[in-house]
Amino acid sequence: MTRLVQARALTKRYGSTTALDAVDLDLDVGVTGLLGPNGAGKTTLIRMLTTAIPPTSGRITVLGRDATAGPVERAEVRRVLGYLPQELQFPRGMTCFAFVDYIAVLKEWTATAARHAEVRRVLDLVGLSDRTTRRIRTLSGGQRRRLALAQSLLGDPRLLVLDEPTTGLDPEQRASLRAVLSECGRTGAVVLATHQTEDVAALCDRVIVVAAGRIHFDGKVRDFVGTAAGRVWLAGAELPGAQASWRTADGKVRSIGGQPTEEAVAAEPSVEDAYLLMLGPTAQSRMEMAA
């Protein structure tokens, strides 16, 4: 069976630094979470998946098209993908409608009526149907993030790659986004690169953990969480040797790893617990930065 996306021996070097090291990856229908600390290679991987940068070596195919070939093949790949980068620069003098319409033109939507209908559809999906004539410079940070998401949804892409899509969104907006992305995952491959482990737990059926340019875990979210079973504890104080610990709202100290004492009670592990245990102090540092 042909995969929606296949990457083989994908490698990216910047001088003497190897950002991604011979990664193999297959993507099919569904939502995949991509976790990893800063400098792990996540952004390099998604930029190559979206044809933004070429690999040093290796090959990527999207729906059978070679994304690492010449400009004609890359253009064909770009027609079937949507991409939300972590940072997107807006022409701030434009309205919301004009901006998404401009992106649609770049994607070669030449029929005006159909293009405008699609622009209205994606703006409605992200809850901006009442902001179509608003100038981008007047939008809040969360609204600009939703506008950035809208352009990535044009044409129901078969490959949708999102880098930190929930940044700046409030809980209601985040829940709405999850509903949109879960629907996208019914017909295409959605890749969600994030530091928000709760988004992975709530939305993804698969998780990939990247560190030091290599994949450390690739599988079902429940199996990933299972790697932390019997290694998360609640007690009156931090356990000896705990990798991370904090006092919870009920006064108990939650310890990740460590040597359990007699009073320690095993706790239900989470995606965050499994992530901290797998990647150690590097992961803990990144969680504190994201908090």
Side-chain angles (χ1 to χ4, degrees):
M1 181 179 68
T2 301
R3 304 290 190 185
L4 287 179
V5 179
Q6 287 185 319
R8 293 292 179 267
L10 205 57
T11 299
K12 185 66 177 179
R13 296 188 183 91
Y14 297 96
S16 61
T17 300
T18 300
L20 209 65
D21 189 10
V23 165
D24 291 337
L25 178 64
D26 293 329
L27 295 171
D28 281 316
V29 171
V31 184
T32 297
L34 187 62
L35 292 175
N38 283 345
K42 299 192 313 300
T43 298
T44 297
L45 175 58
I46 63 178
R47 292 188 71 197
M48 285 193 287
L49 289 175
T50 57
T51 75
I53 60 173
T56 303
S57 60
R59 188 167 182 258
I60 305 170
T61 59
V62 179
L63 291 174
R65 302 171 176 90
D66 190 346
T68 52
V72 174
E73 287 279 340
R74 288 199 302 273
E76 290 181 355
V77 169
R78 288 169 183 169
R79 292 189 187 103
V80 298
L81 69 82
Y83 177 36
L84 171 63
Q86 188 171 357
E87 299 291 341
L88 181 62
Q89 298 297 318
F90 294 100
R92 293 170 64 85
M94 280 187 171
T95 65
C96 293
F97 186 94
F99 170 70
V100 181
D101 188 49
Y102 170 68
I103 300 299
V105 170
L106 293 180
K107 289 195 169 190
E108 301 179 351
W109 285 65
T110 56
T112 303
R115 187 179 72 243
H116 286 181
E118 178 65 5
V119 171
R120 286 189 289 269
R121 183 187 73 86
V122 296
L123 286 171
D124 183 59
L125 274 178
V126 301
L128 290 177
S129 57
D130 61 342
R131 297 287 192 275
T132 57
T133 60
R134 288 278 298 272
R135 300 286 178 183
I136 295 174
R137 64 173 176 267
T138 69
L139 300 180
S140 68
Q143 289 170 338
R144 286 195 295 271
R145 197 61 182 159
R146 285 186 282 153
L147 180 62
L149 175 63
Q151 62 81 30
S152 73
L153 298 173
L154 285 165
D156 285 325
R158 298 297 306 281
L159 172 61
L160 179 60
V161 182
L162 311 169
D163 195 355
E164 300 290 352
T166 60
T167 299
L169 301 186
D170 62 32
E172 183 179 356
Q173 292 166 347
R174 185 171 293 174
S176 177
L177 171 63
R178 289 172 182 166
V180 171
L181 297 184
S182 63
E183 192 62 28
C184 292
R186 291 165 59 98
T187 57
V190 180
V191 179
L192 182 70
T194 182
H195 289 111
Q196 303 294 335
T197 54
E198 62 269 30
D199 288 337
V200 175
L203 181 61
C204 301
D205 43 33
R206 175 185 176 191
V207 61
I208 296 172
V209 180
V210 179
R214 295 184 177 182
I215 292 177
H216 286 241
F217 182 91
D218 182 357
K220 295 288 186 182
V221 171
R222 64 174 178 268
D223 294 334
F224 181 58
V225 174
T227 65
R231 303 171 68 191
V232 183
W233 308 92
L234 291 173
E238 178 181 349
L239 298 186
Q243 192 147 305
S245 64
W246 58 88
R247 190 170 298 278
T248 63
D250 63 4
K252 295 290 187 180
V253 174
R254 187 180 181 95
S255 291
I256 313 302
Q259 185 64 38
T261 59
E262 288 186 2
E263 67 161 331
V265 177
E268 188 74 21
S270 67
V271 171
E272 181 174 315
D273 297 330
Y275 179 64
L276 292 172
L277 283 164
M278 183 167 290
L279 297 187
T282 298
Q284 173 66 11
S285 174
R286 185 60 188 88
M287 288 294 181
E288 291 171 352
M289 291 173 62

